[in-house]
């Protein structure tokens, strides 16, 4: 895939996105009422302001989950070709898992996995 293909892909993405937004603005009927501005919580009316802070530990835990979940995405192709590549693939996956394990130990040491 050359540079021209990447530029064309980027332009197509921008045009399709902008086109969808533009069609929505033109064709959809605009109606403003007070209920559209209200936050939705499973049909239950809210009692307090929806703007409150969450503990940063929830975000760190979610990011760590995503990192280790994406690890599996990279391990599947490796498992498919491990017999063809041989010892080199085994060494590379051990290096990959070692780096991820070091990141896990760092997160554990910093307390990113504790809920309290």
């Amino acid at each position: 895939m050359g540079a021209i293909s990447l530029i064309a892909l980027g332009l197509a993405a921008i045009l399709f996105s902008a086109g969808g937004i533009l069609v929505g603005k033109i064709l959809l009927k605009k109606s403003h009422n007070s209920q559209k501005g209200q936050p939705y919580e499973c049909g239950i009316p809210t009692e307090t302001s929806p703007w409150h802070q969450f503990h940063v530990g929830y975000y760190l835990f979610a990011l760590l989950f995503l990192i280790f979940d994406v690890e599996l995405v990279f391990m599947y192709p490796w498992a498919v070709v491990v017999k063809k590549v041989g010892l080199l693939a085994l060494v590379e996956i051990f290096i990959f898992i070692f780096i991820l394990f070091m990141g896990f130990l760092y997160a554990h040491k910093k307390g990113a996995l504790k809920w309290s």
Side-chain angles (χ1 to χ4, degrees):
M1 204 161 146
I4 295 175
S5 298
L6 287 175
I7 291 171
L9 182 66
L11 286 175
I14 291 170
L15 288 175
F16 278 122
S17 301
I21 293 171
L22 185 64
V23 167
K25 293 241 183 224
I26 292 171
L27 296 179
L28 293 178
K29 186 174 91 172
K30 295 173 181 71
S31 66
H32 299 284
N33 58 31
S34 63
Q35 284 192 345
K36 282 191 175 183
Q38 296 292 322
Y40 180 74
E41 280 188 33
C42 303
I44 302 170
T46 56
E47 296 177 1
T48 61
S49 172
W51 298 102
H52 60 279
Q53 291 182 339
F54 288 99
H55 191 268
V56 71
Y58 298 128
Y59 297 111
L60 289 175
F61 198 82
L63 286 174
L64 286 172
F65 171 77
L66 286 175
I67 289 169
F68 289 105
D69 194 40
V70 169
E71 167 196 359
L72 293 176
V73 171
F74 288 114
M75 289 180 77
Y76 180 74
W78 169 81
V80 171
V81 299
V82 69
K83 285 187 178 180
K84 292 179 187 173
V85 181
L87 185 63
L88 180 63
L90 188 64
V91 171
E92 285 179 356
I93 200 66
F94 276 131
I95 292 171
F96 179 69
I97 290 174
F98 176 75
I99 291 171
L100 283 170
F101 184 69
M102 294 306 290
F104 173 76
L105 287 179
Y106 177 77
H108 183 65
K109 182 180 177 185
K110 289 292 184 177
L113 301 175
K114 293 182 182 176
W115 288 103
S116 57

